[in-house]
Amino acid sequence: MQKKLLIRLLFIFSLVFIIGFTMFPNSSLGIGISKGEINLIPFKSLGNPISSDFFVNVGGNILLFIPFGFILPLRYPKIGRLTTVTLAGLWLSLLIECIQLTMPNRTTDINDVMLNTLGTYIGFRLFSHYKF
């Protein structure tokens, strides 16, 4: 019973963590402080690969969804397949980006969708490697 409760709490925490970073401004990370934009061209807005902004953007988007990809199959074992979990990460990321379309200081970016989905994939691969 305690294990199930812990998994539920970790799942909720992963969603709160994602929502916190994607919906609310964070000036220390430069999130949500500029004029909102839309980027539908893959790899266009990633920036210079040797800059710190590049690593914050790419690494941050991937790291943000790794816990979701790891915990989702623990929380819902019946959907614990790579394709299903990765698609869940894709749909969650698409939902977030669509919501950000309505927010004045948020950027809707196809790169975020791709990187978040990659983070979900990595999280699931870690889960399957360390299966409980």
Side-chain angles (χ1 to χ4, degrees):
M1 188 65 173
Q2 288 180 337
K3 183 178 176 182
K4 285 185 179 184
L5 178 61
L6 177 62
I7 290 169
R8 282 186 193 136
L9 290 173
L10 288 172
F11 182 71
I12 291 168
F13 177 75
S14 75
L15 291 176
V16 169
F17 187 68
I18 289 169
I19 291 167
F21 275 99
T22 59
M23 296 297 160
F24 300 102
N26 185 328
S27 59
S28 65
L29 294 175
I31 298 172
I33 58 171
S34 63
K35 181 179 175 252
E37 300 174 344
I38 299 173
N39 173 42
L40 299 176
I41 302 169
F43 310 109
K44 178 184 175 195
S45 66
L46 290 178
N48 183 349
I50 59 172
S51 71
S52 62
D53 288 343
F54 176 86
F55 287 104
V56 169
N57 183 26
V58 172
N61 276 294
I62 292 170
L63 288 173
L64 187 62
F65 273 70
I66 288 175
F68 179 76
F70 189 92
I71 296 167
L72 184 65
L74 283 172
R75 176 69 177 100
Y76 300 102
K78 291 183 181 180
I79 66 163
R81 294 182 38 209
L82 175 64
T83 304
T84 309
V85 172
T86 303
L87 284 173
L90 171 69
W91 283 108
L92 177 59
S93 185
L94 284 170
L95 176 65
I96 289 166
E97 296 301 316
C98 287
I99 292 170
Q100 287 180 344
L101 280 170
T102 67
M103 302 171 81
N105 293 339
R106 302 304 304 198
T107 297
T108 298
D109 194 335
I110 190 66
N111 295 313
D112 291 350
V113 174
M114 294 183 325
L115 294 168
N116 295 341
T117 304
L118 177 60
T120 304
Y121 170 83
I122 292 169
F124 180 82
R125 298 300 286 180
L126 289 170
F127 161 78
S128 61
H129 187 8
Y130 298 107
K131 206 167 194 173
F132 296 89

